[in-house]
Amino acid sequence: MSSGPDPFGAERRSPGSALHAVRAAVRGIRRPLVVIDGPSGAGKSTFADLLIADWPGRAPDLVRLDDVYPGWNGLEQAVSALRRDLVLPWMHGVPGRRHAWDWAADRPGDETSLRPGNALVIEGCGALATAAHATGARVGAGSAAGERRVVRVWVDAPYPQRRDRALARDAGAYDPFWQVWEAQWRRYVRRLPAASAPMIRVRLP
């Protein structure tokens, strides 16, 4: 079975090669934004952790979309809110806000502020779209200066492995919602335009 829709045809890299590529891409950029996207269970969080640990100098701020989705039907809502409230202000050099979701209580959680003085990594399903209007009208388009600050990473894995990995980590809480989330994910991917900007593509085992 395939891993799901993949809108990008960039060459797949190993995690080590991809980390090297990200380091090279951010070199010389003041306050780069790295967005790490891909389907559920592909290894986005793992790759983000590796990237933070491997980052030269001061580690970036890290925002996980898993902490922001407002429930199991909230992929698009989280992406829009994070783009509007955090990424756009951050790209313009002013503090942004992140609205967390309390999964245990199934209600909005705390709001936190993020100052723009550091590099920023955003990981999770929908991360590419959080930068869509930060540099231009859509993913893959925008001003040259803005585009140079955004490094895009796509993480994937075979469907059986990523499904097993995703369901195992939540001790059964995810099981009833797997198909609900996959349907949202596929709708999101179908709406992504073909990327004209460079993409670092990672395939985890």
Side-chain angles (χ1 to χ4, degrees), residues 4 14 58 136-137 151 168 199:
S14 68
R58 183 178 177 183
V151 177
M199 181 80 61

Side-chain angles (χ1 to χ4, degrees), residues 27-51:
R27 189 174 298 124
I29 301 177
R30 183 175 178 269
R31 295 196 308 115
L33 169 62
V34 181
V35 288
I36 304 171
D37 208 334
S40 184
K44 301 179 296 299
S45 296
T46 298
F47 186 79
D49 290 341
L50 292 171
L51 179 61

Side-chain angles (χ1 to χ4, degrees), residues 99-131:
H99 305 274
W101 183 257
D102 186 336
W103 285 92
D106 194 30
R107 65 186 183 191
D110 295 334
E111 178 184 301
T112 56
S113 178
L114 181 67
R115 291 185 172 275
N118 205 7
L120 176 61
V121 174
I122 299 175
E123 70 88 4
C125 296
L128 282 179
T130 65

Side-chain angles (χ1 to χ4, degrees), residues 16 33 37 45 57 63 69 73 81 87 91 105 119-120 129 160 180 194 204:
L33 169 62
D37 208 334
S45 296
V63 174
Y69 304 124
N73 292 289
V87 176
M91 291 292 289
L120 176 61
V180 172
L204 297 184

Side-chain angles (χ1 to χ4, degrees), residues 31 33 79-97 114 116 120 122 129-137 149:
R31 295 196 308 115
L33 169 62
V79 166
S80 296
L82 200 66
R83 180 175 59 227
R84 180 189 65 238
D85 297 336
L86 190 142
V87 176
L88 277 171
W90 186 91
M91 291 292 289
H92 287 89
V94 298
R97 294 173 291 128
L114 181 67
L120 176 61
I122 299 175
T130 65
H133 297 287
T135 58
R149 292 176 60 188

